[in-house]
Amino acid sequence: MKRILAAFGAALLTSGAQAQVLGFGSAPQGSIGYNMSSAIARVMSEDAKIQSRVQPYSGSSAVLPLVNSGELDLAVCNVMEIDEATKGEGPYKGRKQGNLRVLGVIFPLYSSIFVKKDSPIKTLAELKGKRLPYGFSSQLTLERIVDGIIANAGLARKDVVPVLVPNVVRGADDFIEGKLDGGFFAIGAGKVSEVDKTVGGIRYLPLSDDPQAVAAMKKLMPYAYVKLVNPSPAFVGLAGPTKLMAYDYLVAVGAHVKDDVVYKIAKSMYENKAKLAQSLGAFRGWDPNTISKEMPAAFHSGSVKFFKEKGLGSPK
């Protein structure tokens, strides 16, 4: 009888381990972060046989501390967020998130300020005195990204009219309602398509790649760069090839997640670009070989093991 009970207990433990569901924190539904998370969760489930539950929050500023504490397991964020969170700088000053690791780097986000398609505003410099979204209390780095975009055109926050919003989704809704003259959102998100259809079309304003303009942008957003983005079915708001701000996005993971689990997730992402692109068109432009691109934060040891086996290098 004791042996039967012991075997039954072991079976329960094994079943519980297999049934473990990872918590995948994300930005609100409609955001590019939510779309990224859902696409990655799909390949985790179908290829790596690792189940996860995508849990939308108000923004990455709320999610990363939960990954750090072990209440969540994964999240997507931008390079500036992982840098400041792991160093305890910027909005995380005095709150160093020392248990965050990088699982893998995905594609850069491209963004700028957008206006209505028929707006007389043609350049970023013409946003002077106009209403723009600011605050982003749930996505704190985004305020500085907006600062960096307008700095590229020689503008500062004092030159525009800030309208406080908690996150990009609320900012998009305010643009639809006519409370903003310019909106801010990364291209390729479902919410951008909604805005485009609702207001009769939108148009992203181009950035300049002049060295002085780029330097002004980088002073506020050090990890940003200017990239020429071509029109694509996955992107709305581009009238033609348009220079936009680019900054890398990545998957963050808690140090508490086991090496073999992280290894399997990294492997499933690397080997399933086509499936990722089926869920989110922006993955079509992703080069899986950049998954190990150097970042200003430590990679998880499970990811490093996979990178070494694939000959992708050994990031610090």
Side-chain angles (χ1 to χ4, degrees), residues 46-88:
E46 296 181 1
D47 184 73
K49 308 305 179 187
I50 295 173
Q51 301 302 313
S52 64
R53 181 179 295 112
V54 177
Q55 301 171 234
Y57 287 78
S58 54
S60 50
S61 300
V63 172
L64 291 183
L66 296 178
V67 176
N68 181 73
S69 68
E71 296 174 66
L72 291 173
D73 304 294
L74 302 160
V76 294
C77 66
N78 69 52
V79 57
M80 188 170 177
E81 288 171 321
I82 198 73
D83 181 31
E84 294 184 334
T86 55
K87 292 177 180 176

Side-chain angles (χ1 to χ4, degrees), residues 32 107-110 187-188 234-235 276-277 279-286:
I32 192 76
F107 53 83
L109 285 193
Y110 305 114
I187 64 173
F235 303 145
L276 289 166
S279 298
L280 178 60
F283 270 107
R284 294 191 190 103
W286 179 50

Side-chain angles (χ1 to χ4, degrees), residues 129-148:
K130 305 300 183 183
R131 299 168 297 170
L132 298 182
Y134 265 93
F136 301 105
S137 55
S138 298
Q139 297 174 290
L140 295 173
T141 60
L142 298 190
E143 186 167 73
R144 281 168 294 155
I145 291 174
V146 173
D147 281 338

Side-chain angles (χ1 to χ4, degrees), residues 108-111 207 217 221 223-227 229 244-248:
L109 285 193
Y110 305 114
S111 63
L207 276 77
M217 175 187 73
M221 180 56 176
Y223 297 104
Y225 49 101
V226 176
K227 184 79 177 284
V229 181
L244 301 175
M245 176 194 274
Y247 48 95
D248 293 321

Side-chain angles (χ1 to χ4, degrees), residues 150-161:
I150 64 173
N152 180 268
L155 299 179
R157 195 176 308 188
K158 64 179 177 59
D159 298 314
V160 299
V161 179

